[in-house]
Amino acid sequence: MKLLNTRALVLRSQPLGERDRLLSLLTWERGKLSAVAPGARKIKSKLAAGVDYFTCGSFLLHQGKSLYTVNQLEIETNFSRIGENIKDYAYGMYFAELAEKLLEEGESYPDVFDLLLSCWGHLLDKKADRDVLARFFELRILSILGYHPHFQDCLYCGDQLGPFFWNYSSGGVFCGKCRPGEEVVFPFSRGTHALAVRLLSLFPGKIANIRAADLQKKELQDFTWHFLQYWTAAGHLKGLSFLAKVNNSEGDKKAGNAPE
Ligand SMILES: [Zn+2]
């Protein structure tokens, strides 16, 4: 009998038949994997409380031919209070969806595990600016997965003063002299450039100290979203549509009508 005892984060949890739930887990030892939580849809199930979004737990998994089965679990940290605010919920879901889309099965990603755990913690803590936190999450997961955007100087001549420009295919920034003439480029304000450099090297515990102007956040968001599509082919991210909807609605509400 193949058993795996591992810390895991619940990236996705969906109903499977009348009784069970199908989970996408980010495990410490084996990275992303799918697991059935038998009976977890039943209120009296011992597994029910630990198979929701925003859970970090110790899971005992049985490895079957195509899927794992959850035998036991012990909740380590329950971030479910993230769901009390619909904006926090939308950001937390987006982080989990991005991790699930970008990670390959069968590889271990302890740095992504720590990143997601830390960013869920910041959502709960509510001290960090959510948009800055989202850009931090995007830039850092890209960097961990080998798509480190080159921000610190011009890709061609090494100029560090800027102002800088980026285009979809470059993977980094150019100064005004070296910007490719034949391709569409987008300007980065100096503040946005400084924000990007800072986020790429920041200790996660310091994210709550970072504030940014709306223009900087918008420019960096345009960059990361285009960069994600161009370099990782992340495809349609439901979390982004949900985030846009939530950010366009007024005020911070409870997550009443959030999608499963
Ligand atoms: Zn240059």
Side-chain angles (χ1 to χ4, degrees):
M1 191 175 185
K2 288 184 185 171
L3 288 175
L4 171 65
N5 196 350
T6 181
R7 288 177 81 205
L9 304 173
V10 179
L11 299 179
R12 191 156 49 87
S13 172
Q14 60 191 101
L16 182 69
E18 301 266 306
R19 303 178 62 251
D20 308 337
R21 292 194 82 83
L22 179 62
L23 311 180
S24 176
L25 299 175
L26 176 55
T27 67
W28 181 263
E29 277 85 1
R30 296 196 193 165
K32 187 178 75 168
L33 56 83
S34 299
V36 176
R41 296 193 69 190
K42 300 288 176 192
I43 296 168
K44 288 182 179 172
S45 163
K46 284 182 183 169
L47 299 181
V51 296
D52 267 338
Y53 291 100
F54 313 132
T55 298
C56 174
S58 176
F59 284 71
L60 182 63
L61 303 171
H62 172 248
Q63 186 175 6
K65 277 187 184 163
S66 57
L67 280 175
Y68 287 82
T69 304
V70 182
N71 280 10
Q72 290 173 35
L73 75 85
E74 192 175 324
I75 297 172
E76 184 182 304
T77 315
N78 188 336
F79 297 95
S80 63
R81 281 194 298 113
I82 290 174
E84 290 174 3
N85 177 286
I86 195 161
K87 286 191 178 179
D88 293 335
Y89 178 87
Y91 281 86
M93 293 280 284
Y94 170 57
F95 297 162
E97 184 189 11
L98 200 51
E100 195 190 9
K101 280 245 177 174
L102 298 184
L103 304 187
E104 302 282 343
E105 289 208 5
E107 278 191 56
S108 164
Y109 299 96
D111 290 343
V112 176
F113 187 105
D114 283 342
L115 176 68
L116 183 56
L117 191 60
S118 155
C119 287
W120 279 352
H122 283 298
L123 284 176
L124 204 58
D125 188 46
K126 296 184 185 295
K127 288 181 184 157
D129 177 307
R130 296 183 190 103
D131 287 313
V132 171
L133 184 65
R135 304 296 82 80
F136 173 77
F137 184 83
E138 292 160 344
L139 289 171
R140 296 299 273 263
I141 195 169
L142 283 165
S143 179
I144 292 167
L145 298 180
Y147 306 100
H148 187 87
H150 186 95
F151 279 122
Q152 59 269 40
D153 52 22
C154 170
L155 274 169
Y156 282 166
C157 75
D159 174 73
Q160 295 186 337
L161 294 176
F164 293 101
F165 300 82
W166 61 273
N167 74 335
Y168 297 143
S169 59
S170 64
V173 292
F174 301 97
C175 72
K177 279 184 286 179
C178 303
R179 52 183 280 190
E182 71 284 6
E183 294 184 54
V184 180
V185 292
F186 298 87
F188 250 147
S189 69
R190 280 202 166 85
T192 306
H193 178 257
L195 176 65
V197 170
R198 184 132 194 236
L199 292 181
L200 273 168
S201 61
L202 189 77
F203 179 69
K206 301 283 184 193
I207 192 73
N209 301 338
I210 307 291
R211 291 290 178 266
D214 288 345
L215 172 71
Q216 296 164 1
K217 291 191 279 191
K218 176 72 174 62
E219 280 185 354
L220 194 55
Q221 173 185 292
D222 286 346
F223 174 83
T224 52
W225 288 5
H226 286 126
F227 196 93
L228 270 167
Q229 291 304 332
Y230 192 92
W231 287 92
T232 71
H236 177 66
L237 292 160
K238 277 194 297 186
L240 283 187
S241 318
F242 184 46
L243 262 178
K245 205 168 145 189
V246 165
N247 279 329
N248 286 335
S249 68
E250 31 78 52
D252 289 5
K253 294 176 183 168
K254 280 180 74 94
N257 299 314
E260 182 123 28

